[in-house]
Each structure stands twice: as C-alpha cells, then as structure tokens.
Amino acid sequence: MTCWYEGPLAAFDTETTGVDVETDRIVSAAVVVQDAPGTRPRAVRWLVNPGVPVPESATAVHGLTDEHLQRNGRWPAPVMHEIAEELAGHAALHRPLVVMNAPFDLTLLDRELRRHRASSLDRWFEAAPLLVLDPRVLDKHLDRYRKGRRTLTDLCAHYEVALEGAHDAGADALAALEVVRALGRRFATRLERLTPAQLHTLQTTWHAAQARGLQAWFTRSGTPETVNQDWPLRPELPTAA
C-alpha cells in the first residue's frame, strides 16, 4: 500500500501585504497538485488587487507592486471564493493539503473570506475535513534538537529540495510539498503507519507544545510577544479588520 507521502498531495501558499493575519491582505495565491513523486505538478494561480496599498517592504519580498496588481489583479471577493472552493475540492477527495506555517496562510484566507464574502473558512469543510500537513510543525517535532532556523528556504536546504523563484506562491507551494515528501521518507519509521487524518490531529498537539516552548523562551529573554497556540487556523478575534 502506498504511503501518504508517496501519494497524491496538494499544497497552498500565499503572498501578502504583510505579516499581520488580522489586517494584511492576500495579493497572490497558488494551489499545486502532484499525483505522485516525480510526476508533473498542476497549479492554479490567483493574482489579487487587494484594494489597499502594498508596502514597499512587501514588494521587496515578492516583487508585486501596486501598479502591477491594479492592472492585472482581480477583485478579492471572487478570488477568495475560488480559493476556498479549490481547497474544499481537495478535502472532498481526502487529499492532504501541505501548508507551510499553516496558521498564517489559512488564517489570512479566513479573514479575507470574512471581509469580502461574509463567510468563514470552516464553513467550506463541514462536509469533508481539511487534512493539513505543515512541514514546519512536522520538522520541529521530528527533528526537535536540530539547531538553526526553519524557514522554507532552510527546510529546502536541509532536505535537499530545489526552491526556484522563492516568494512566488506557486514555487513556494511546490517546494513545501516536496519537503513533506522528503521528510516523510527520512522519518518513514515514525510516519508511515499514520494516516493524514491522524497526523492532522497530532500536529495540533505538537504545534501547541512548540508554541509553549517558544513562549517560555520569549518570557525568559524579556521579549514582550505572545505566541498563538492554535493550529491550523486561529479563531476570529472580535477586533479583526
């Protein structure tokens, strides 16, 4: 029987106006699907005119300018609907969805749906649950004592995955997918008997433990920062934009 990391996987990634999930906006997104290792991936891409200025600091990361997005981007409302519909389609097929640092991208999508569609991301998965594989959470749990950063670029280097065109949503999604496959093979004895549904549940616990550890480190170092323990989606805040 084919292990989940050798079977069909989808991956989701966004590029945004910043790093605040409550106020920042999606400017591009992609879903990449690969049926098996080595097969040609398929990608669906979206370019969004967010309706707000794109800070120069964000443009410096992903290269998307206000002018380009105003000329070529679509309005957010139909795009957010299409993205949620795409993700729900993969959930209906029980196809795992790879999302690097899932609470960021999925929470941003949820807030955009609330902002532009008077909806929420959870509503799309009432019939079939979303099965998320977060390479950041998996790597930190399975290789917890390895020193160094664990950005997507770092994980690609560690697992020998090519990352061409970093900070393009499609390129990042594909790289994250390949990292999960590589991670699955490296830790096969610990992962091959677990289903994606079981892993989804386990990652909720693993992420919470990782967040508590980071919070303790911030407290010891005097850093006034709060680490959210929710995964893969943060609950709505009353003050969300």
Side-chain angles (χ1 to χ4, degrees), residues 16-151:
T16 69
T17 60
V19 296
D20 188 330
V21 296
E22 302 299 339
T23 59
D24 279 305
R25 312 297 175 92
I26 294 173
V27 296
S28 70
V31 174
V32 175
V33 183
Q34 188 183 48
D35 295 324
T39 61
R40 186 180 182 87
R42 308 183 299 278
V44 183
R45 298 171 180 268
W46 296 268
L47 194 65
V48 186
N49 179 352
V52 299
V54 180
E56 291 182 3
S57 57
T59 298
V61 173
H62 49 59
L64 298 172
T65 64
D66 274 329
E67 181 181 5
H68 180 76
L69 293 171
Q70 289 169 11
R71 286 185 176 181
N72 302 286
R74 297 169 57 202
W75 290 114
V79 171
M80 301 312 150
H81 178 92
E82 290 173 15
I83 295 173
E85 188 174 50
E86 178 75 16
L87 299 187
H90 294 295
L93 295 172
H94 307 291
R95 181 178 291 145
L97 182 72
V98 176
V99 190
M100 175 72 184
N101 192 17
F104 178 77
D105 294 85
L106 295 182
T107 303
L108 259 171
L109 176 58
D110 175 79
R111 302 311 190 252
E112 289 278 54
L113 286 166
R114 294 175 186 273
R115 184 178 291 120
H116 298 290
R117 304 290 305 192
S119 180
S120 68
L121 188 58
D122 283 338
R123 294 182 186 178
W124 289 87
F125 304 105
E126 293 173 350
L130 192 62
L131 303 176
V132 177
L133 299 171
D134 188 333
R136 186 169 181 266
V137 174
L138 291 169
D139 176 69
K140 289 181 73 174
H141 177 79
L142 295 165
D143 198 1
R144 67 182 67 185
Y145 299 113
R146 188 178 80 249
K147 295 181 179 180
R149 289 160 51 86
R150 302 190 192 227
T151 65

Side-chain angles (χ1 to χ4, degrees), residues 148-213:
R149 289 160 51 86
R150 302 190 192 227
T151 65
L152 179 59
T153 300
D154 298 317
L155 295 187
C156 286
H158 181 72
Y159 290 101
E160 300 181 343
V161 168
L163 175 55
E164 299 179 2
H167 299 298
D168 168 84
D172 286 356
L174 179 59
L177 186 153
E178 294 288 5
V179 165
V180 165
R181 292 201 189 280
L183 190 151
R185 297 185 196 105
R186 184 168 300 188
F187 297 99
T189 57
R190 299 169 64 181
L191 295 176
E192 61 187 357
R193 296 183 182 180
L194 296 171
T195 66
Q198 290 171 324
L199 271 174
H200 181 101
T201 300
L202 286 169
Q203 285 170 100
T204 303
T205 302
W206 295 345
H207 178 271
Q210 292 163 9
R212 288 193 298 270

Side-chain angles (χ1 to χ4, degrees), residues 140 144 202-220 225-230:
K140 289 181 73 174
R144 67 182 67 185
L202 286 169
Q203 285 170 100
T204 303
T205 302
W206 295 345
H207 178 271
Q210 292 163 9
R212 288 193 298 270
L214 182 57
Q215 186 69 73
W217 186 86
F218 281 152
T219 300
R220 290 194 301 270
E225 187 170 339
T226 301
V227 183
N228 195 297
Q229 296 186 23
D230 295 292

